[in-house]
Amino acid sequence: MNIFRLTGDLSHLAAIIILLLKIWKTRSCAGISGKSQVLFALVFTTRYLDLLTSFISLYNTTMKVIYIGCAYATVYLIYMKFKATYDGNHDTFRVEFLVVPVGGLAFLVNHDFSPLEILWTFSIYLESVAILPQLFMISKTGEAETITTHYLFFLGLYRALYLFNWIWRFYFEGFFDMIAIVAGVVQTILYCDFFYLYVTKVLKGKKLSLPA
């Protein structure tokens, strides 16, 4: 495993833990898009079905189980435990406009036309756009809590580091996955505006706001 893959995984884990701690400590999920979290839960569920069919390594299995468990824990906290604090009035992104086209694309463009491979491809495509409901929610409310922006930063950093991981693997292992790379580029581009605002505002102690 190369350093980009490891730091990418740790950044991803940091993002998930930051979000869970934010919700648990404040006893509130205000400012968090439940729809984005449902999409991420769907991403991990469809991507890691290979847990039932193969074993790669203890690290690989542990991380997959943690991602799935934390994803569903977050959904539970938002829609059950702290449902009263959930801002559904601003979490209005039409996720069917993401899930349906992504599902169709996964059927049409994949490495192998088999159930597990199509679901894995679906998860890759869906992850690239799963953050859109959260960004849309921030644009509607006009601002985001600092802790929420830290969560988004580490989530975006994880995907950016994975792009370097793909480059590393291509040069040193001869491995090239066009589907994962294109989806990763799309996802990173979606974060570009946020990254700029994070560096110019949040790191200087100001509140982050996205243009409505």
Side-chain angles (χ1 to χ4, degrees):
M1 181 186 300
N2 64 69
I3 189 65
F4 297 115
R5 167 79 182 272
L6 179 60
T7 52
D9 285 346
L10 293 178
S11 178
H12 195 184
L13 187 60
I16 294 171
I17 292 174
I18 286 171
L19 183 63
L20 278 172
L21 287 178
K22 181 268 179 194
I23 296 174
W24 189 257
K25 284 191 172 183
T26 62
R27 318 296 285 180
S28 169
C29 56
I32 303 298
S33 169
K35 291 186 176 182
S36 270
Q37 296 310 311
V38 168
L39 291 180
F40 281 123
L42 183 57
V43 164
F44 295 137
T45 302
T46 52
R47 181 174 303 172
Y48 298 144
L49 288 173
D50 63 344
L51 282 170
L52 304 175
T53 62
S54 61
F55 177 81
I56 298 173
S57 69
L58 181 59
Y59 171 83
N60 184 277
T61 299
T62 301
M63 294 300 281
K64 288 177 179 179
V65 171
I66 289 174
Y67 288 152
I68 293 173
C70 287
Y72 280 98
T74 304
V75 170
Y76 167 76
L77 292 179
I78 293 174
Y79 288 105
M80 301 289 288
K81 182 79 173 177
F82 304 121
K83 183 179 180 181
T85 66
Y86 169 56
D87 187 8
N89 291 328
H90 287 113
D91 193 15
T92 56
F93 193 95
R94 300 284 297 276
V95 293
E96 61 268 29
F97 291 149
L98 298 178
V99 175
V100 174
V102 161
L105 187 61
F107 266 95
L108 295 172
V109 183
N110 51 67
H111 294 309
D112 178 45
F113 199 75
S114 64
L116 281 181
E117 188 62 33
I118 290 172
L119 287 171
W120 178 87
T121 306
F122 170 80
S123 78
I124 295 295
Y125 293 151
L126 184 60
E127 186 184 22
S128 70
V129 295
I131 200 61
L132 283 176
Q134 180 67 64
L135 297 177
F136 182 72
M137 187 177 185
I138 293 175
S139 71
K140 287 195 71 175
T141 58
E143 60 183 26
E145 294 179 26
T146 299
I147 193 69
T148 304
T149 64
H150 292 333
Y151 157 71
L152 289 171
F153 173 77
F154 279 104
L155 202 58
L157 181 62
Y158 137 71
R159 182 43 62 186
L161 286 167
Y162 254 65
L163 284 181
F164 287 107
N165 166 59
W166 295 126
I167 294 172
W168 174 282
R169 294 193 66 184
F170 174 72
Y171 276 102
F172 293 97
E173 301 175 16
F175 182 83
F176 185 77
D177 188 329
M178 181 60 76
I179 288 176
I181 291 173
V182 171
V185 169
V186 169
Q187 189 173 356
T188 304
I189 289 173
L190 291 178
Y191 281 96
C192 283
D193 186 41
F194 168 80
F195 279 144
Y196 172 77
L197 293 173
Y198 185 86
V199 171
T200 58
K201 290 190 176 183
V202 179
L203 293 183
K204 294 182 180 179
K206 301 176 183 177
K207 256 199 168 183
L208 179 142
S209 61
L210 290 178

